Amino acid sequence: PEQVADRATFDNPHQYAAGIATVIVNGVVVIDEGEHTGALPGQVLRLRHDSLNEESFMPGLLLAVRKVRSLPGLVYGLEKLLELPLKR
């Protein structure tokens, strides 16, 4: 899209972003043409912060940066990086 903008505010936080028509979660389309499909394929992801040393995150960060650099253009979504199939 030419323009992506956050429409959420502190008073009205549950707003879809402008310029993003489709949202895919776990390979399933959840928002299609700006409307919720009713699908709820996601899971809660809790990140633990047990490490006080940023070096523990570097291998994953480097892997992601190398993968992104090899892709042409702008990529939206981790499913493109992880090469996950799109389920509708």
Side-chain angles (χ1 to χ4, degrees), residues 29-71:
V29 176
V30 175
I31 305 294
D32 194 13
E33 297 301 322
E35 298 292 324
H36 198 283
T37 64
L40 299 170
Q43 296 179 359
V44 175
L45 176 62
R46 288 180 172 54
L47 299 176
R48 293 177 54 167
H49 298 284
D50 293 343
S51 176
L52 299 176
N53 184 340
E54 70 260 7
E55 288 181 24
S56 63
F57 302 105
M58 290 309 293
L61 179 61
L62 288 173
L63 180 68
V65 168
R66 288 182 184 124
K67 177 68 176 184
V68 169
R69 287 179 57 190
S70 70
L71 298 173

